Amino acid sequence: LVVVQQGLPADLVQVADDLEDICEYFIDHSWSDGLPVIPPTVERVERMLAAVSRNRYEVVAKIPPSWREATVEIVAINSVMAGCLPGYFPVVVAAVEATGVDRFNLTAIQTTTNPVTPLVIVNGPLAPDLGINSKGNVFGHGYRANSTVGRALRMVLMNVGGSHPRTTDMATQGQPGRHGFCIAENEQDSPWEPLHVDLGYPRDHSVVSVVGVTGTDNVHDLSVEAEGLLRTLCSHVATAGMHNVHVGGGPLLVLGPEHAALLAEGGMSKDDVKMHLYQHARVPLAEFSPENMRMIRQRRPASAIGDEGSPGVTIADEPAAISIIVAGGAGTHSQILPTFGRASCLSSRDLGPASVNTRLA
Amino acid sequence: VLEARGIPTALLVTSPFLAKVRYEAASRGQPSLVIKSMPHPVASLPLDDLRTIVEQIAPQLVKELTTQSEPTA
């Protein structure tokens, strides 16, 4: 069996025609996240490349800390290894491209002690066409598109960027999302306009966004009035170790559809929710040790901290720094995803109005 | 970035980060950058303690920076 190795252009390497030997070969070369890979044969890589109309040697992004070039072809190789179907490939390319923009600060994300990892959020018609889960167990297992798109991005960050645990990737603990973190927004069950419309894209376009998140934190709330849920959200997010409290930027709030409906029925827009969290979710100054308070004063604007008698440190530098999407199924749960601060803002790529079927035609 | 602009530069990092910083320097085209390590951790050290450690290491950094061979024209 012939497999394709990462080079520029890619090299062909002859390996034993045995699946277990091939997996060992990739793991021995540190070209795996620890799980077995699909062997990237010429045929499989070509099928992946056929899903986009881009030159195979075009550079999608330069990935730190190696600063090697992730070409379309190399992204295709890693997508095969991750188990992607060819239809997913435009989403993977867009995600790699979105992480490569300067303001995303991938250098820090790739090498920090923080557990941060890029979460891929897909909006628009492509998401249901590809079967990207936006409903029940949206952050969990069971959906090939979610699992393999996120894994393909991780493979590129690791294999091209040279970000390897305990040598160049200095994450103290990391997080499960580092195996692959991709969801779609549940636009169907959302009372509001979806994220890509918030970001200024046409509603009928498919948009791939990435945001650096430090983890997921579940918020359970049984309130029947918006006010009760808001109180719980404020209490839950405003904690003394939460990353945005320390470094600024703002968190991503992933509301379950029932919680989103409760807030909308209470007459709240997304901007109203953001403003409420900005104003009322505060960590009292007395909760910080002197060391943490010193860091917060260095990193946060004075407006986020306030003077003596302040109600506390805000969870975001401004209301607009908080992002809100709707995802998940039935139930009274939402998730707070703190971000890596200003360095991990949402970065997006527009895939246009075409569905996957027309794209592959 | 500084070294590439002709400003002699030395990096001081805590020991767990030495391999990472050497890798990054090499990937940025600066494999011979002066990099020294110091004990970990420093994030919560009082400034005076940090100053004491740095003052102990600084002469060695200056020596390495000033005795490196100059690039030939």
Side-chain angles (χ1 to χ4, degrees), chain A residues 65-68 107 111-113 160-164 166-170 291 294, chain B residues 15-21 23-28 40 42-47:
Chain A
S66 74
W67 296 99
R68 286 194 289 253
T107 309
T111 58
T112 178
T113 54
V160 185
S163 155
H164 294 285
R166 295 164 61 177
T167 52
T168 47
D169 175 346
M170 298 303 292
E291 297 77 25
R294 188 175 75 189
Chain B
S15 49
F17 296 88
L18 192 57
K20 175 202 121 155
V21 172
Y23 179 93
E24 287 190 82
S27 71
R28 294 273 198 169
H40 189 82
V42 294
S44 304
L45 276 189
L47 284 178

Side-chain angles (χ1 to χ4, degrees), chain B residues 31-45:
Chain B
S32 54
L33 199 65
V34 174
I35 304 171
K36 299 291 284 182
S37 70
M38 57 192 281
H40 189 82
V42 294
S44 304
L45 276 189

Side-chain angles (χ1 to χ4, degrees), chain A:
Chain A
L1 190 68
V2 177
V3 301
V4 183
Q5 192 188 354
Q6 354 253 339
L8 191 66
D11 308 314
L12 291 177
V13 176
Q14 185 81 37
V15 295
D17 191 10
D18 177 89
L19 189 56
E20 287 178 20
D21 287 347
I22 295 168
C23 286
E24 288 303 319
Y25 177 84
F26 280 87
I27 288 170
D28 286 348
H29 283 79
S30 298
W31 291 334
S32 158
D33 52 3
L35 291 167
V37 299
I38 301 291
T41 59
V42 171
E43 294 76 18
R44 289 180 182 132
V45 173
E46 292 301 322
R47 279 203 298 275
M48 203 62 73
L49 286 167
V52 296
S53 50
R54 295 175 74 154
N55 185 299
R56 69 176 63 214
Y57 300 125
E58 187 185 335
V59 176
V60 179
K62 289 186 176 182
I63 313 290
S66 74
W67 296 99
R68 286 194 289 253
E69 293 174 336
T71 61
V72 174
E73 183 180 68
I74 288 175
V75 177
I77 294 167
N78 283 279
S79 298
V80 171
M81 289 163 61
C84 291
L85 292 174
Y88 309 162
F89 187 51
V91 176
V92 179
V93 173
V96 172
E97 201 162 35
T99 59
V101 303
D102 279 350
R103 66 191 176 91
F104 192 69
N105 196 9
L106 189 57
T107 309
I109 288 175
Q110 286 273 76
T111 58
T112 178
T113 54
N114 192 281
V116 59
T117 196
L119 168 67
V120 180
I121 304 169
V122 186
N123 279 102
L126 208 49
D129 281 359
L130 293 176
I132 303 175
N133 186 24
S134 67
K135 299 188 177 182
N137 203 35
V138 64
F139 283 114
H141 59 285
Y143 290 84
R144 182 173 181 178
N146 301 54
S147 298
T148 61
V149 167
R151 188 185 184 204
L153 176 60
R154 170 55 52 197
M155 291 284 214
V156 170
L157 295 179
M158 195 180 61
N159 293 337
V160 185
S163 155
H164 294 285
R166 295 164 61 177
T167 52
T168 47
D169 175 346
M170 298 303 292
T172 305
Q173 295 179 314
Q175 59 159 308
R178 285 183 165 218
H179 277 284
F181 219 14
C182 172
I183 64 171
E185 178 161 11
N186 187 346
E187 299 178 23
Q188 191 185 345
D189 297 324
S190 171
W192 300 307
E193 291 289 4
L195 176 69
H196 66 304
V197 174
D198 294 346
L199 296 173
Y201 298 100
R203 172 92 198 221
D204 66 339
H205 282 212
S206 295
V207 175
V208 177
S209 303
V210 290
V211 56
V213 296
T214 69
T216 58
D217 191 0
N218 190 63
V219 184
H220 185 236
D221 183 274
L222 288 172
S223 303
V224 294
E225 303 283 346
E227 195 277 334
L229 172 58
L230 287 168
R231 210 183 323 152
T232 304
L233 287 170
C234 286
S235 160
H236 197 106
V237 70
T239 53
M242 190 267 208
H243 203 60
N244 295 112
V245 170
H246 287 193
V247 303
L252 168 68
L253 176 56
V254 181
L255 289 167
E258 293 180 18
H259 281 171
L262 187 65
L263 296 171
E265 285 159 13
M268 300 194 81
S269 67
K270 266 200 231 182
D271 284 345
D272 293 335
V273 178
K274 293 176 186 180
M275 179 57 80
H276 186 96
L277 288 171
Y278 175 74
Q279 289 177 330
H280 300 286
R282 286 169 180 259
V283 185
L285 304 189
E287 291 194 19
F288 298 106
S289 70
E291 297 77 25
N292 290 334
M293 202 63 239
R294 188 175 75 189
M295 171 186 58
I296 288 166
R297 289 197 188 283
Q298 285 169 348
R299 296 189 175 186
R300 300 292 308 274
S303 59
I305 303 166
D307 303 321
E308 207 173 324
S310 154
V313 178
T314 63
I315 59 154
D317 286 338
E318 54 182 343
I322 301 169
S323 304
I324 297 178
I325 64 171
V326 176
T332 47
H333 297 270
S334 291
Q335 301 265 352
I336 301 280
L337 285 73
T339 70
F340 193 46
R342 277 163 289 188
S344 62
C345 57
L346 287 160
S347 168
S348 305
R349 282 292 175 276
D350 187 358
L351 289 174
S355 75
V356 64
N357 297 323
T358 48
R359 189 171 302 280
L360 288 174

